[in-house]
Coordinates of all heavy atoms in Angstrom, one line a residue:
M1 N -7.2 -18.4 -1.7 CA -6.5 -17.4 -1.0 C -7.0 -17.3 0.4 O -8.2 -17.5 0.6 CB -6.6 -16.1 -1.8 CG -7.0 -14.9 -1.1 SD -7.1 -13.4 -2.1 CE -6.7 -14.0 -3.7
H2 N -6.2 -17.0 1.3 CA -6.6 -17.0 2.7 C -6.0 -15.8 3.4 O -4.9 -15.4 3.1 CB -6.1 -18.3 3.5 CG -6.7 -19.5 2.9 ND1 -7.9 -20.0 3.3 CD2 -6.2 -20.4 2.0 CE1 -8.2 -21.1 2.6 NE2 -7.1 -21.4 1.8
G3 N -6.8 -15.2 4.3 CA -6.3 -14.1 5.1 C -6.6 -12.7 4.6 O -6.7 -12.5 3.4
R4 N -6.8 -11.8 5.5 CA -7.1 -10.5 5.2 C -6.1 -9.8 4.3 O -6.5 -9.1 3.3 CB -7.3 -9.6 6.5 CG -8.5 -10.0 7.2 CD -8.6 -9.2 8.5 NE -9.6 -9.7 9.3 CZ -10.7 -8.9 9.7 NH1 -10.7 -7.7 9.4 NH2 -11.6 -9.4 10.5
E5 N -4.8 -9.9 4.6 CA -3.8 -9.2 3.8 C -3.8 -9.8 2.3 O -3.7 -9.0 1.4 CB -2.4 -9.3 4.4 CG -1.4 -8.5 3.7 CD -1.8 -7.0 3.6 OE1 -2.4 -6.4 4.5 OE2 -1.6 -6.4 2.5
A6 N -3.9 -11.1 2.1 CA -3.9 -11.6 0.8 C -5.1 -11.1 0.0 O -5.0 -10.7 -1.2 CB -3.9 -13.1 0.8
I7 N -6.3 -11.0 0.7 CA -7.5 -10.5 0.0 C -7.4 -9.1 -0.3 O -7.7 -8.6 -1.4 CB -8.7 -10.8 0.9 CG1 -9.0 -12.3 1.0 CG2 -10.0 -10.1 0.4 CD1 -10.0 -12.7 2.1
A8 N -6.8 -8.3 0.7 CA -6.7 -6.8 0.4 C -5.7 -6.6 -0.7 O -6.0 -5.7 -1.5 CB -6.2 -6.2 1.7
T9 N -4.6 -7.3 -0.8 CA -3.7 -7.2 -1.9 C -4.3 -7.5 -3.2 O -4.1 -6.7 -4.2 CB -2.4 -8.1 -1.7 OG1 -1.8 -7.7 -0.4 CG2 -1.5 -8.0 -2.8
L10 N -5.1 -8.5 -3.3 CA -5.8 -8.9 -4.6 C -6.7 -7.7 -5.0 O -6.7 -7.3 -6.1 CB -6.6 -10.1 -4.4 CG -7.5 -10.4 -5.6 CD1 -6.8 -11.0 -6.8 CD2 -8.6 -11.4 -5.2
F11 N -7.5 -7.2 -4.1 CA -8.4 -6.1 -4.4 C -7.7 -4.9 -4.8 O -8.1 -4.2 -5.7 CB -9.4 -5.9 -3.3 CG -10.6 -6.9 -3.3 CD1 -10.6 -8.0 -2.5 CD2 -11.6 -6.7 -4.2 CE1 -11.6 -8.9 -2.5 CE2 -12.7 -7.6 -4.3 CZ -12.7 -8.7 -3.4
R12 N -6.6 -4.5 -4.1 CA -5.9 -3.3 -4.5 C -5.3 -3.4 -5.9 O -5.4 -2.5 -6.7 CB -4.7 -3.1 -3.5 CG -5.1 -2.4 -2.2 CD -3.9 -1.9 -1.4 NE -3.0 -3.0 -1.0 CZ -3.2 -3.7 0.2 NH1 -4.2 -3.3 1.0 NH2 -2.4 -4.7 0.5
T13 N -4.8 -4.6 -6.2 CA -4.2 -4.8 -7.5 C -5.3 -4.8 -8.6 O -5.1 -4.1 -9.6 CB -3.5 -6.2 -7.5 OG1 -2.5 -6.2 -6.5 CG2 -2.9 -6.5 -8.9
E14 N -6.3 -5.5 -8.4 CA -7.4 -5.7 -9.4 C -8.2 -4.4 -9.6 O -8.5 -4.0 -10.7 CB -8.3 -6.8 -9.1 CG -7.6 -8.2 -9.2 CD -6.9 -8.4 -10.6 OE1 -7.5 -8.2 -11.6 OE2 -5.7 -8.9 -10.5
F15 N -8.5 -3.7 -8.5 CA -9.3 -2.5 -8.7 C -8.5 -1.3 -9.2 O -9.0 -0.4 -9.7 CB -10.0 -2.1 -7.4 CG -11.2 -2.9 -7.1 CD1 -11.2 -4.0 -6.3 CD2 -12.4 -2.5 -7.7 CE1 -12.3 -4.8 -6.0 CE2 -13.6 -3.3 -7.4 CZ -13.5 -4.4 -6.6
A16 N -7.1 -1.4 -9.2 CA -6.3 -0.4 -9.8 C -6.2 -0.5 -11.3 O -5.8 0.4 -12.0 CB -4.9 -0.5 -9.2
R17 N -6.5 -1.7 -11.8 CA -6.4 -2.0 -13.2 C -7.5 -1.3 -14.1 O -7.2 -1.0 -15.2 CB -6.5 -3.5 -13.5 CG -5.3 -4.2 -12.9 CD -5.4 -5.7 -13.1 NE -5.1 -5.9 -14.6 CZ -5.2 -7.0 -15.2 NH1 -5.7 -8.1 -14.6 NH2 -4.9 -7.1 -16.5
A18 N -8.7 -1.1 -13.5 CA -9.8 -0.6 -14.3 C -10.9 0.0 -13.4 O -10.9 -0.4 -12.2 CB -10.4 -1.7 -15.2
T19 N -11.7 0.9 -13.9 CA -12.8 1.3 -13.1 C -13.9 0.3 -13.2 O -14.3 -0.1 -14.3 CB -13.3 2.7 -13.7 OG1 -12.3 3.6 -13.7 CG2 -14.5 3.2 -13.0
M20 N -14.3 -0.2 -12.1 CA -15.3 -1.3 -12.0 C -16.5 -0.8 -11.3 O -16.5 -0.1 -10.3 CB -14.7 -2.5 -11.2 CG -13.5 -3.1 -11.9 SD -13.0 -4.5 -10.9 CE -11.2 -4.4 -11.2
V21 N -17.7 -1.1 -11.9 CA -18.9 -0.8 -11.4 C -19.8 -2.0 -11.3 O -19.9 -2.8 -12.3 CB -19.7 0.3 -12.2 CG1 -21.0 0.6 -11.7 CG2 -18.8 1.6 -12.3
C22 N -20.4 -2.3 -10.2 CA -21.2 -3.4 -10.0 C -22.6 -3.0 -9.5 O -22.8 -2.4 -8.5 CB -20.6 -4.3 -8.9 SG -21.6 -5.8 -8.4
E23 N -23.6 -3.2 -10.4 CA -25.0 -2.9 -10.1 C -25.7 -4.2 -9.7 O -25.8 -5.1 -10.5 CB -25.6 -2.2 -11.3 CG -24.9 -0.9 -11.7 CD -25.5 -0.3 -12.9 OE1 -26.3 -0.9 -13.6 OE2 -25.0 0.8 -13.3
V24 N -26.1 -4.2 -8.5 CA -26.8 -5.4 -8.0 C -28.2 -5.6 -8.6 O -29.0 -4.6 -8.7 CB -26.9 -5.4 -6.5 CG1 -27.7 -6.6 -5.9 CG2 -25.6 -5.3 -5.8
E25 N -28.4 -6.8 -9.2 CA -29.7 -7.1 -9.8 C -30.6 -7.8 -8.8 O -31.8 -7.5 -8.7 CB -29.6 -7.9 -11.1 CG -28.9 -7.0 -12.2 CD -29.1 -7.6 -13.5 OE1 -29.0 -8.8 -13.7 OE2 -29.4 -6.8 -14.5
Q26 N -30.0 -8.7 -8.1 CA -30.8 -9.4 -7.1 C -29.9 -10.1 -6.1 O -28.8 -10.5 -6.4 CB -31.8 -10.4 -7.6 CG -31.3 -11.6 -8.3 CD -32.4 -12.5 -8.8 OE1 -33.4 -12.7 -8.1 NE2 -32.2 -13.2 -9.9
I27 N -30.4 -10.3 -4.9 CA -29.7 -11.0 -3.8 C -30.6 -12.1 -3.3 O -31.8 -11.8 -3.0 CB -29.2 -10.1 -2.7 CG1 -28.1 -9.1 -3.2 CG2 -28.6 -11.0 -1.6 CD1 -27.7 -8.1 -2.2
L28 N -30.2 -13.3 -3.2 CA -31.0 -14.4 -2.7 C -30.3 -14.9 -1.5 O -29.0 -15.1 -1.5 CB -31.1 -15.5 -3.7 CG -31.7 -15.1 -5.1 CD1 -31.6 -16.2 -6.1 CD2 -33.2 -14.6 -4.9
E29 N -31.0 -15.2 -0.4 CA -30.4 -15.7 0.8 C -31.1 -17.0 1.2 O -32.3 -17.2 1.0 CB -30.6 -14.7 1.9 CG -29.9 -13.4 1.7 CD -30.2 -12.4 2.8 OE1 -29.9 -12.8 4.0 OE2 -30.7 -11.3 2.5
Y30 N -30.3 -17.9 1.8 CA -30.8 -19.2 2.4 C -29.9 -19.6 3.5 O -28.8 -20.1 3.2 CB -31.0 -20.3 1.3 CG -31.6 -21.5 1.8 CD1 -32.9 -21.6 2.0 CD2 -30.8 -22.6 2.1 CE1 -33.5 -22.8 2.5 CE2 -31.3 -23.8 2.6 CZ -32.7 -23.9 2.8 OH -33.2 -25.0 3.3
G31 N -30.3 -19.4 4.7 CA -29.4 -19.8 5.8 C -28.1 -19.0 5.8 O -28.2 -17.8 5.8
E32 N -27.0 -19.7 5.8 CA -25.7 -19.1 5.8 C -25.3 -18.7 4.4 O -24.2 -18.0 4.2 CB -24.6 -20.1 6.3 CG -24.7 -20.4 7.8 CD -23.6 -21.4 8.2 OE1 -23.0 -22.1 7.3 OE2 -23.3 -21.4 9.4
W33 N -26.1 -19.0 3.4 CA -25.7 -18.8 2.0 C -26.4 -17.6 1.4 O -27.6 -17.4 1.7 CB -25.9 -20.0 1.2 CG -25.0 -21.1 1.5 CD1 -25.1 -22.1 2.5 CD2 -23.6 -21.3 1.0 NE1 -24.0 -22.9 2.5 CE2 -23.1 -22.4 1.7 CE3 -22.9 -20.6 0.1 CZ2 -21.8 -22.9 1.4 CZ3 -21.6 -21.1 -0.2 CH2 -21.1 -22.2 0.4
A34 N -25.7 -16.9 0.5 CA -26.3 -15.8 -0.3 C -25.7 -15.9 -1.7 O -24.6 -16.3 -1.9 CB -26.0 -14.5 0.3
A35 N -26.5 -15.5 -2.7 CA -26.1 -15.4 -4.1 C -26.5 -14.0 -4.5 O -27.6 -13.5 -4.2 CB -26.8 -16.4 -4.9
M36 N -25.6 -13.3 -5.2 CA -25.8 -12.0 -5.8 C -25.6 -12.0 -7.3 O -24.5 -12.5 -7.8 CB -24.8 -11.0 -5.2 CG -25.0 -9.6 -5.8 SD -23.8 -8.4 -5.2 CE -22.3 -9.0 -5.8
E37 N -26.6 -11.6 -8.0 CA -26.4 -11.4 -9.5 C -26.2 -9.9 -9.8 O -26.9 -9.1 -9.2 CB -27.7 -11.9 -10.2 CG -27.6 -11.9 -11.7 CD -28.9 -12.3 -12.3 OE1 -29.9 -12.5 -11.7 OE2 -28.9 -12.5 -13.6
W38 N -25.2 -9.6 -10.6 CA -24.9 -8.2 -10.9 C -24.7 -8.0 -12.4 O -24.5 -9.0 -13.2 CB -23.6 -7.8 -10.1 CG -22.4 -8.7 -10.4 CD1 -22.0 -9.8 -9.7 CD2 -21.5 -8.5 -11.4 NE1 -20.9 -10.3 -10.2 CE2 -20.5 -9.6 -11.3 CE3 -21.3 -7.6 -12.4 CZ2 -19.4 -9.7 -12.2 CZ3 -20.2 -7.7 -13.3 CH2 -19.3 -8.8 -13.2
R39 N -24.6 -6.7 -12.7 CA -24.2 -6.3 -14.1 C -23.4 -5.0 -14.0 O -23.5 -4.4 -12.9 CB -25.4 -6.1 -15.0 CG -26.4 -5.0 -14.5 CD -27.6 -4.9 -15.4 NE -28.6 -4.1 -14.8 CZ -28.6 -2.7 -14.9 NH1 -27.6 -2.1 -15.6 NH2 -29.5 -2.0 -14.4
D40 N -22.7 -4.7 -15.0 CA -22.1 -3.4 -15.0 C -22.6 -2.6 -16.2 O -23.3 -3.1 -17.1 CB -20.5 -3.5 -15.1 CG -20.0 -3.9 -16.4 OD1 -20.7 -4.1 -17.4 OD2 -18.7 -4.0 -16.5
P41 N -22.3 -1.2 -16.3 CA -22.9 -0.4 -17.3 C -22.4 -0.8 -18.7 O -23.1 -0.4 -19.7 CB -22.4 1.0 -16.9 CG -22.1 1.0 -15.5 CD -21.7 -0.5 -15.2
L42 N -21.3 -1.5 -18.8 CA -20.8 -1.9 -20.2 C -21.5 -3.2 -20.7 O -21.2 -3.7 -21.8 CB -19.3 -2.1 -20.1 CG -18.5 -0.8 -19.8 CD1 -17.0 -1.2 -19.6 CD2 -18.8 0.3 -20.8
G43 N -22.3 -3.8 -19.8 CA -23.1 -5.0 -20.3 C -22.5 -6.3 -19.7 O -23.1 -7.4 -19.9
L44 N -21.4 -6.3 -19.0 CA -20.9 -7.5 -18.4 C -21.8 -7.9 -17.3 O -22.4 -7.1 -16.5 CB -19.5 -7.2 -17.8 CG -18.7 -8.4 -17.3 CD1 -18.3 -9.3 -18.5 CD2 -17.4 -8.0 -16.6
R45 N -22.0 -9.2 -17.1 CA -22.8 -9.8 -16.1 C -22.1 -10.8 -15.3 O -21.2 -11.5 -15.8 CB -24.1 -10.4 -16.7 CG -24.9 -9.4 -17.5 CD -26.1 -10.0 -18.1 NE -27.1 -10.3 -17.2 CZ -28.1 -9.5 -16.8 NH1 -28.2 -8.3 -17.3 NH2 -29.0 -9.9 -15.9
G46 N -22.5 -11.1 -14.1 CA -21.9 -12.1 -13.3 C -22.7 -12.4 -12.0 O -23.8 -11.9 -11.8
C47 N -22.1 -13.3 -11.2 CA -22.8 -13.6 -10.0 C -21.7 -14.0 -8.9 O -20.6 -14.4 -9.3 CB -23.8 -14.8 -10.2 SG -23.0 -16.3 -10.8
G48 N -22.1 -13.9 -7.7 CA -21.2 -14.2 -6.6 C -22.0 -15.1 -5.6 O -23.2 -14.9 -5.4
F49 N -21.3 -16.0 -4.9 CA -21.9 -16.9 -3.9 C -21.1 -16.7 -2.6 O -19.8 -16.6 -2.7 CB -21.8 -18.3 -4.4 CG -22.6 -18.6 -5.6 CD1 -22.0 -18.5 -6.9 CD2 -23.9 -18.9 -5.5 CE1 -22.7 -18.7 -8.0 CE2 -24.7 -19.1 -6.7 CZ -24.1 -19.0 -7.9
F50 N -21.8 -16.5 -1.5 CA -21.2 -16.2 -0.3 C -21.7 -17.1 0.8 O -22.9 -17.4 0.9 CB -21.5 -14.8 0.1 CG -21.1 -13.8 -0.9 CD1 -22.0 -13.5 -2.0 CD2 -19.9 -13.1 -0.9 CE1 -21.6 -12.6 -2.9 CE2 -19.5 -12.2 -1.9 CZ -20.4 -11.9 -2.9
R51 N -20.8 -17.5 1.7 CA -21.2 -18.2 3.0 C -20.8 -17.3 4.1 O -19.7 -16.8 4.2 CB -20.5 -19.5 3.1 CG -21.1 -20.3 4.3 CD -20.6 -21.7 4.3 NE -21.4 -22.6 5.1 CZ -21.3 -23.9 5.2 NH1 -20.4 -24.5 4.5 NH2 -22.1 -24.5 6.0
V52 N -21.8 -16.9 5.0 CA -21.6 -16.0 6.0 C -21.8 -16.6 7.4 O -22.9 -17.3 7.6 CB -22.5 -14.8 5.9 CG1 -22.3 -13.8 7.0 CG2 -22.4 -14.1 4.5
R53 N -20.9 -16.5 8.3 CA -21.0 -17.0 9.6 C -20.6 -15.9 10.6 O -19.6 -15.3 10.4 CB -20.1 -18.2 9.9 CG -20.5 -19.5 9.2 CD -19.7 -20.6 9.6 NE -20.1 -21.8 8.9 CZ -19.3 -22.8 8.5 NH1 -18.0 -22.7 8.8 NH2 -19.7 -23.8 7.9
D54 N -21.4 -15.7 11.6 CA -21.1 -14.7 12.6 C -20.8 -13.3 12.0 O -19.9 -12.6 12.4 CB -19.9 -15.1 13.5 CG -20.2 -16.4 14.3 OD1 -21.4 -16.6 14.7 OD2 -19.3 -17.2 14.4
G55 N -21.6 -13.0 10.9 CA -21.4 -11.7 10.3 C -20.2 -11.5 9.4 O -19.9 -10.4 9.0
R56 N -19.5 -12.6 9.2 CA -18.3 -12.5 8.3 C -18.4 -13.5 7.1 O -18.9 -14.6 7.3 CB -17.0 -12.9 9.1 CG -16.7 -11.9 10.2 CD -15.5 -12.4 11.0 NE -15.2 -11.5 12.1 CZ -14.2 -10.6 12.0 NH1 -13.4 -10.6 11.0 NH2 -14.0 -9.8 13.1
I57 N -17.9 -13.1 6.0 CA -17.8 -13.9 4.8 C -16.7 -15.0 5.1 O -15.6 -14.6 5.2 CB -17.6 -13.1 3.6 CG1 -18.7 -12.2 3.3 CG2 -17.4 -14.1 2.4 CD1 -18.4 -11.2 2.2
V58 N -17.1 -16.2 5.1 CA -16.1 -17.3 5.3 C -15.8 -18.0 4.0 O -14.8 -18.8 3.9 CB -16.5 -18.3 6.4 CG1 -16.6 -17.6 7.7 CG2 -17.8 -19.0 6.0
F59 N -16.6 -17.8 2.9 CA -16.4 -18.4 1.6 C -17.0 -17.5 0.6 O -18.1 -16.9 0.8 CB -17.1 -19.8 1.6 CG -17.0 -20.4 0.2 CD1 -15.9 -21.1 -0.2 CD2 -18.0 -20.2 -0.7 CE1 -15.8 -21.7 -1.4 CE2 -18.0 -20.8 -2.0 CZ -16.9 -21.6 -2.3
Q60 N -16.3 -17.3 -0.5 CA -16.8 -16.5 -1.6 C -16.3 -17.1 -2.9 O -15.2 -17.5 -3.0 CB -16.4 -15.0 -1.5 CG -17.0 -14.1 -2.6 CD -16.2 -14.0 -3.9 OE1 -15.0 -14.2 -3.9 NE2 -16.9 -13.8 -5.0
R61 N -17.2 -17.1 -3.9 CA -16.8 -17.6 -5.2 C -17.6 -16.7 -6.2 O -18.8 -16.5 -6.0 CB -17.1 -19.0 -5.4 CG -16.8 -19.5 -6.8 CD -16.9 -21.0 -6.9 NE -15.8 -21.6 -6.2 CZ -15.8 -22.8 -5.6 NH1 -16.9 -23.6 -5.7 NH2 -14.8 -23.3 -5.0
G62 N -17.0 -16.2 -7.3 CA -17.7 -15.4 -8.2 C -17.4 -15.9 -9.7 O -16.4 -16.5 -10.0
Y63 N -18.4 -15.6 -10.5 CA -18.3 -16.0 -11.9 C -18.7 -14.8 -12.8 O -19.6 -14.1 -12.6 CB -19.3 -17.1 -12.2 CG -19.0 -18.4 -11.4 CD1 -19.7 -18.6 -10.2 CD2 -18.1 -19.3 -11.9 CE1 -19.4 -19.7 -9.5 CE2 -17.8 -20.5 -11.1 CZ -18.5 -20.7 -9.9 OH -18.2 -21.8 -9.2
F64 N -17.8 -14.6 -13.8 CA -18.1 -13.6 -14.9 C -17.1 -13.9 -16.0 O -16.2 -14.7 -15.9 CB -17.9 -12.2 -14.4 CG -16.5 -11.8 -14.0 CD1 -15.7 -11.1 -14.9 CD2 -16.0 -12.2 -12.8 CE1 -14.4 -10.8 -14.6 CE2 -14.7 -11.8 -12.4 CZ -13.9 -11.1 -13.3
D65 N -17.4 -13.3 -17.2 CA -16.6 -13.6 -18.4 C -15.4 -12.7 -18.3 O -15.4 -11.5 -18.7 CB -17.4 -13.3 -19.6 CG -16.6 -13.6 -20.9 OD1 -15.4 -13.7 -20.9 OD2 -17.3 -13.7 -21.9
Q66 N -14.3 -13.2 -17.8 CA -13.1 -12.4 -17.6 C -12.5 -11.9 -18.9 O -12.0 -10.7 -19.0 CB -12.0 -13.2 -16.8 CG -11.0 -12.3 -16.2 CD -10.1 -13.1 -15.2 OE1 -9.9 -14.3 -15.4 NE2 -9.6 -12.4 -14.2
L67 N -12.5 -12.7 -19.9 CA -12.0 -12.2 -21.2 C -12.8 -11.0 -21.7 O -12.2 -10.0 -22.2 CB -12.0 -13.3 -22.3 CG -11.5 -13.0 -23.6 CD1 -10.0 -12.5 -23.5 CD2 -11.6 -14.2 -24.6
S68 N -14.1 -11.0 -21.6 CA -14.9 -9.9 -22.0 C -14.5 -8.6 -21.2 O -14.5 -7.5 -21.7 CB -16.4 -10.2 -21.9 OG -16.8 -11.1 -22.8
F69 N -14.3 -8.8 -19.9 CA -13.9 -7.7 -19.0 C -12.6 -7.1 -19.5 O -12.5 -5.9 -19.6 CB -13.7 -8.2 -17.6 CG -13.2 -7.2 -16.6 CD1 -14.0 -6.2 -16.1 CD2 -11.9 -7.1 -16.3 CE1 -13.5 -5.2 -15.2 CE2 -11.3 -6.2 -15.5 CZ -12.2 -5.2 -14.9
F70 N -11.6 -7.9 -19.8 CA -10.3 -7.4 -20.3 C -10.5 -6.6 -21.5 O -10.0 -5.5 -21.7 CB -9.3 -8.5 -20.5 CG -8.8 -9.2 -19.2 CD1 -8.7 -10.6 -19.2 CD2 -8.5 -8.5 -18.1 CE1 -8.2 -11.2 -18.1 CE2 -8.1 -9.1 -16.9 CZ -7.9 -10.5 -16.9
R71 N -11.3 -7.2 -22.5 CA -11.5 -6.5 -23.8 C -12.2 -5.2 -23.6 O -11.9 -4.2 -24.2 CB -12.3 -7.4 -24.7 CG -11.5 -8.5 -25.2 CD -12.2 -9.4 -26.1 NE -11.4 -10.5 -26.7 CZ -11.9 -11.6 -27.2 NH1 -13.2 -11.8 -27.3 NH2 -11.0 -12.5 -27.7
Q72 N -13.3 -5.1 -22.7 CA -14.0 -3.9 -22.5 C -13.2 -2.8 -22.0 O -13.4 -1.6 -22.2 CB -15.2 -4.2 -21.6 CG -16.3 -5.0 -22.2 CD -17.4 -5.3 -21.1 OE1 -17.1 -5.3 -19.9 NE2 -18.6 -5.7 -21.6
H73 N -12.2 -3.1 -21.2 CA -11.4 -2.1 -20.5 C -10.0 -1.9 -21.2 O -9.2 -1.2 -20.7 CB -11.2 -2.5 -19.0 CG -12.4 -2.4 -18.2 ND1 -12.9 -1.2 -17.8 CD2 -13.4 -3.3 -17.9 CE1 -14.0 -1.4 -17.1 NE2 -14.3 -2.7 -17.2
G74 N -9.8 -2.6 -22.3 CA -8.6 -2.4 -23.1 C -7.4 -3.0 -22.4 O -6.3 -2.4 -22.5
L75 N -7.5 -4.0 -21.6 CA -6.4 -4.6 -20.8 C -5.9 -5.8 -21.5 O -6.6 -6.6 -22.2 CB -7.0 -5.0 -19.4 CG -7.5 -3.9 -18.6 CD1 -8.2 -4.5 -17.3 CD2 -6.4 -2.9 -18.2
A76 N -4.6 -6.0 -21.4 CA -3.9 -7.2 -21.9 C -4.4 -8.4 -21.0 O -4.5 -8.2 -19.8 CB -2.4 -7.0 -21.8
V77 N -4.5 -9.5 -21.7 CA -4.9 -10.7 -21.0 C -3.6 -11.3 -20.3 O -2.7 -11.5 -21.0 CB -5.5 -11.7 -21.9 CG1 -5.9 -13.0 -21.2 CG2 -6.8 -11.2 -22.6
P78 N -3.6 -11.4 -19.0 CA -2.4 -12.0 -18.3 C -2.1 -13.4 -18.8 O -3.1 -14.1 -19.1 CB -2.9 -12.0 -16.8 CG -4.0 -11.0 -16.7 CD -4.7 -11.1 -18.0
D79 N -0.9 -13.7 -18.9 CA -0.4 -15.0 -19.3 C -1.1 -16.2 -18.5 O -1.5 -17.2 -19.1 CB 1.1 -15.2 -19.2 CG 1.8 -14.3 -20.3 OD1 1.2 -14.0 -21.3 OD2 3.0 -14.1 -20.0
H80 N -1.3 -16.0 -17.2 CA -1.9 -17.1 -16.4 C -3.3 -17.3 -16.8 O -3.9 -18.4 -16.4 CB -1.7 -16.8 -14.9 CG -2.6 -15.7 -14.4 ND1 -2.1 -14.4 -14.4 CD2 -3.8 -15.7 -13.9 CE1 -3.1 -13.6 -13.9 NE2 -4.1 -14.4 -13.6
C81 N -4.0 -16.4 -17.5 CA -5.4 -16.6 -17.9 C -5.5 -17.3 -19.3 O -6.6 -17.7 -19.7 CB -6.1 -15.3 -18.0 SG -6.3 -14.5 -16.5
L82 N -4.4 -17.5 -20.0 CA -4.4 -18.1 -21.3 C -4.2 -19.6 -21.3 O -4.4 -20.2 -22.4 CB -3.3 -17.4 -22.2 CG -3.4 -15.9 -22.4 CD1 -2.2 -15.3 -23.1 CD2 -4.7 -15.6 -23.2
G83 N -3.9 -20.2 -20.2 CA -3.8 -21.6 -20.1 C -2.6 -22.1 -20.8 O -2.2 -23.0 -21.2

């Protein structure tokens, strides 16, 4: 996904689906790169990787168990997640 509007639309849509809480466990930095490990109060865990240039995130990738997230929040699994 590219561009501020596409990112903003994704976050508006996803954050409207469930109450999400991210408690940072640790942040590691090396040059332009950072990694964040997190957990939520329901026990879900994940991590995110970021590349930052000139104070802006130019790359982000995150990992967590999306199926567990859907189940914890009583959400239907979207068809595009079922393969």
Side-chain angles (χ1 to χ4, degrees):
M1 132 176 4
H2 297 279
R4 288 176 187 241
E5 189 52 40
I7 294 168
T9 298
L10 170 76
F11 278 101
R12 276 192 298 271
T13 302
E14 294 304 316
F15 280 96
R17 295 179 72 188
T19 300
M20 297 181 215
V21 176
C22 175
E23 298 174 357
V24 176
E25 292 197 318
Q26 68 175 325
I27 296 175
L28 305 170
E29 299 176 54
Y30 183 78
E32 293 182 337
W33 290 92
M36 177 184 67
E37 184 179 11
W38 58 267
R39 64 182 170 83
D40 76 0
L42 300 175
L44 189 66
R45 301 176 73 89
C47 60
F49 299 91
F50 306 85
R51 188 171 198 172
V52 180
R53 289 189 183 144
D54 299 321
R56 295 179 182 254
I57 297 170
V58 296
F59 175 86
Q60 185 274 331
R61 179 172 288 154
Y63 299 93
F64 67 98
D65 183 344
Q66 197 170 33
L67 181 57
S68 291
F69 174 82
F70 291 140
R71 286 181 177 160
Q72 287 174 341
H73 292 278
L75 299 171
V77 179
D79 289 339
H80 70 271
C81 293
L82 297 174

